[in-house]
Amino acid sequence: MAGAASRFAFKLVAVAVAVPVGKVVSSASSKAWTAARPGRAPVNPRDADTNWKDALIWASLTGVGAAVAQLATTKGADTVWRAMTGHPSPRPKQISDDKGPKAPSALTAINT
């Protein structure tokens, strides 16, 4: 596969990896909250019962979970792709920045 077709196929592999990874990370976040703090996780910060401490702990926990999920999905999809094809995963399409010459920055104008 070459070009756009391989990038599309890799996206399908990434989705197939992302769904179970997301479920595992979500479950692990909920279990970690239950182990650390009794009660319901503060998923809605607008609830009157949510205090700042619980909201910050939950935000930190889910932020770490999101980072781990992104890493596991990216690395997992690459590993699956290499096992399926024997080649490195395709690189994302590069967006060209051919919008013409750039205007000089303020520092360039000052230095001249």
Side-chain angles (χ1 to χ4, degrees):
M1 279 190 254
S6 63
R7 285 191 300 271
F8 180 74
F10 181 72
K11 286 180 183 181
L12 292 177
V13 170
V15 167
V17 171
V19 170
V21 166
K23 289 182 185 249
V24 167
V25 168
S26 178
S27 175
S29 296
S30 296
K31 287 179 182 178
W33 176 264
T34 304
R37 314 270 302 165
R40 197 173 59 95
V43 293
N44 185 0
R46 293 183 183 179
D47 283 344
D49 298 340
T50 302
N51 62 36
W52 275 99
K53 182 179 177 182
D54 287 346
L56 289 171
I57 292 170
W58 180 248
S60 299
L61 184 63
T62 56
V64 168
V68 168
Q70 182 180 12
L71 174 67
T73 298
T74 303
K75 189 65 177 161
D78 184 63
T79 302
V80 169
W81 182 265
R82 286 175 188 266
M84 288 172 44
T85 65
H87 300 288
S89 59
R91 299 217 180 262
K93 183 177 179 182
Q94 297 296 320
I95 300 172
S96 64
D97 193 20
D98 295 336
K99 297 179 183 175
K102 294 182 179 180
S105 68
L107 291 176
T108 306
I110 291 172
N111 291 333
T112 56

